[in-house]
Amino acid sequence: MSAHGPRTPPRVVVIGAGVVGCSLADELTARGWTDVTVLEQGPLPAPGGSTSHAPGLVFRTSPSRTLTAFARYTVEKFTSLTWDGATCFQRVGGLELATTPERLADLHRRAGYAASWGVHGEIVDAARCKELWPLLDESVVLGGFHTPGDGLARALPACRAQLDRATARGARFLDRHTVTGIERHDGRVTGVVTDRGTFPADHVVSAAGFWGPVVGRMAGVDVPLQPLAHQYARTAPLAELSGATEEASRPILRFQDRDLYFREHGDRLGVGSYAHRPLPVDPFAVPGYDESRARHMDMPSSYPFTPEDWAPSWEDCRELMPALRDVDVESGFNGVFSFTPDGMPVLGESRDLRGFWLAEAVWVTHSAGVARAVAEWMVDGRPSLDVHECDLTRFEEAQRSPAYVRERGAQQFTEVYDVIHPLQPMERPRPLRVSPFHVRQRELGSYFLEGGGWERPHWYEANAGLSEDPRLPDRDAWSARHWSPIAAAEARVTRERVALYDMTPLRRLEVTGPGALAFLDRMTSNNLRKKPGAVTYTLLLDESGGIRSDLTVARLAPDRFQVGANSPADLDHLLRHAPDGVHIRDITSGTCCVGVWGPLARDLVQPLTADDFSHEAFGYFRARETYVGHVPVTAMRLSYVGELGWELYTTADLGLRLWDTLWEAGRDLGVIAAGRSAFNSLRLEKGYRAWGTDMTDEDNPYEAGVGFAVRMDKADFVGRAALARAGEPGRRLTPLLLDDPAAVVLGKEPVHVDGAPAGYVTSASYGYTLGRCVAYAWLPAGLATGTGVHVEYFGEKVPATVAEEPLFDPRMTRIRR
């Protein structure tokens, strides 16, 4: 039940009556929040935003489990809705074509995603593609991915059906109301101002589509969204489609090798293209509905067709479907819709203006699923589905500049149908964020990938001479991308000698004040009431016991803590709950960190400091402020690679001096710099979880194998009551070892138990110490060690075995010495 109680439902104003706004009104009123007003600047039922022109293709399968879940719910809901006697979803199926070997391989990968996320689909040959789509030239097709449950969402009828249901529960929809301002008081939203009056509100949701940045500016809330125009055309009638009695009967079709998609419109075809140059649109310059009509535009979201951009795509269409050589394009437009820097929606409540919510950058495909998640978030305090990939707080400050949003939004448009490797970084703008060690890393020939705007070394060409290992199997072309055998050498040297790792991009928060200890102890699951110098691994849970994040908390003084966190959402969450007198600040950009790990780590560090770094004087999970050479550091005895060592933190201005000091001192010990590729291999051998990949707020600590970080005997903490009610886990994060020493998987692949999909891989990497690929997977609880399973990799079933963790050094003797 909401904090407002059952007697007085909060006043909600939704800005935008497109498919997201209508879906949200339906979801909110179904949950008892019936005082909902939906404001729309255009006329209903087709107000002129992206919903009004959307072609409605719903392909559910995505590399993102969250987006797939959103799309699955959209299909389920719209299938159950009818308007004017017709269903709001036509389950005609989906067909994705391959005309190159690379695309066919990618379709096998997509079929794996589908199996992982519970979508039925199958790889079919060219003959079956021709059977499903008779207009195809079978000779240019190598195969396809057929998903019978996909199809066409009828967006405007779905809006009408949900509008009627919400209205029957008490909601009201007001068109021709242009929002001109957002009222606020004492950090909370209080109302929405329009050209036809002011509407008081306890909650305001911006579901304004590509106008989102405009509404956001009124509220003082940044909305990182770039509208772009996308070409869509309809052909003249085709003889081959004459006599059609339905809007569509064949599967919706993707020709991704040429950035095209197709759907039927009775006896015509609709064709969309992403093959043209990006056509960015300024959301502040989009005309209103009446002004757009005066400019001879059908609606604000429908810009004039640009034939010069279309011409190459039309030739590609005719090559795929010879029947199109006898017809021309009858009409076309450039439709505007939203892109973000990472291609994901922007959802959640602003901390700067409480009660102001975003439900932006949402396509029809995901609309009902997003609406359900946001409604749950508003009413229940959390969505039932993990949405961290969509959280409005996910972007770093450096990723919010208008130039960044514009450039990366355009790149997302260009890459909509590209075959994207999971490690493939954006090309621009780079470099953006660099650690103080960057100049040395470049001198060592670092191969950089990017994350959170940071340049992250994955291996160093300077170590190439160390990489000859006859035991290292050859890799397939896909897993060999953004990988080098040098990573194996760097992992080996870490196990045998000592290596330096740049850990600067890991988030660091400083928490201070007389109430800091009580606050952190209440917010997290482990016992933090330890003496200064203690470091504790703990969990940030939600009220349902789900893992919001995992943290490393170092108590440096009675009222001063350094917290190792994950995403900007952690900072946002702590700031939302911090009491007066507790101060939290992100110190990441002003500091840096070197991980010094390996059996010779003490030999390297001890001569550089006057403090005693012996195991007896400086134990595991302890912290100390000291000096290394001339550099003041905070040293923490931690290891994410399973070896002896320390994390050494200092200020950014002294970072290069720290690196050089360690490097010079380590020469005689054979020190090397090592990258993230080796790091990931080593941490998986130890079974260390990565939040956001291996575990999220959908998972509780006992399922995820981190129950050791929960102290049920301490004072109350967030999530404790839910964990006390939790029964035995029905599934667990399970370690697997691939049986074939030459086999490699990368993550998100389906895992088959007794011949049927039973779960999916989260993280995977070759374990160079073990001589096998290590994969962690969510699987049914109770699978005994030694149980045989199969991981599906590009359509092939790769045998694997359930293993007992930790796979490496189970007695922890290498770390505690």
Side-chain angles (χ1 to χ4, degrees), residues 33-227:
W33 281 25
T34 54
D35 190 350
V36 176
T37 300
V38 182
L39 301 175
E40 174 54 58
Q41 64 178 343
L44 292 174
S50 300
T51 299
S52 301
H53 72 244
L57 284 75
V58 176
F59 288 92
R60 291 165 297 168
T61 304
S62 165
S64 165
R65 177 172 172 266
T66 299
L67 288 188
T68 301
F70 286 160
R72 287 179 61 188
Y73 182 72
T74 300
V75 168
E76 292 167 9
K77 184 175 187 181
F78 286 9
T79 300
S80 71
L81 295 174
T82 59
W83 173 252
D84 196 23
T87 180
C88 294
F89 187 81
Q90 288 183 271
R91 202 181 292 264
V92 293
L95 179 62
E96 303 179 47
L97 299 177
T99 59
T100 65
E102 294 77 14
R103 181 67 63 181
L104 186 59
D106 187 59
L107 293 186
H108 278 283
R109 188 166 61 103
R110 290 183 61 78
Y113 292 148
S116 290
W117 315 145
V119 174
H120 173 62
E122 61 177 343
I123 299 296
V124 296
D125 61 18
R128 177 60 174 154
C129 292
K130 175 73 171 178
E131 182 182 339
L132 291 165
W133 256 91
L135 274 64
L136 296 176
D137 179 354
E138 184 181 351
S139 68
V140 303
V141 176
L142 299 182
F145 175 43
H146 181 218
T147 45
D150 290 339
L152 289 166
R154 301 174 64 229
L156 288 177
C159 286
R160 292 297 300 270
Q162 293 178 101
L163 182 155
D164 286 352
R165 295 203 314 191
T167 301
R169 301 185 190 112
R172 57 177 176 167
F173 289 74
L174 303 176
D175 63 0
R176 297 293 190 172
H177 282 65
T178 299
V179 174
T180 59
I182 305 294
E183 292 188 334
R184 68 196 90 174
H185 176 72
D186 197 25
R188 281 204 64 91
V189 69
T190 60
V192 177
V193 182
T194 76
D195 58 350
R196 298 175 65 177
T198 298
F199 297 83
D202 302 302
H203 296 271
V204 173
V205 185
S206 178
F210 56 78
W211 284 289
V214 179
V215 175
R217 180 176 292 183
M218 297 177 194
V221 174
D222 179 42
V223 181
L225 175 161
Q226 175 60 54

Side-chain angles (χ1 to χ4, degrees), residues 295-336:
R295 295 187 189 182
H296 304 291
M297 298 163 55
D298 288 339
M299 60 189 76
S301 62
S302 178
Y303 276 55
F305 196 62
T306 48
E308 65 277 12
D309 292 307
W310 177 256
S313 290
W314 188 231
E315 291 306 311
D316 291 333
C317 293
R318 288 172 158 178
E319 179 184 351
L320 181 69
M321 299 186 192
L324 296 180
R325 296 168 188 167
D326 299 325
V327 298
D328 291 317
V329 168
E330 190 172 71
S331 63
F333 65 96
N334 291 357
V336 182

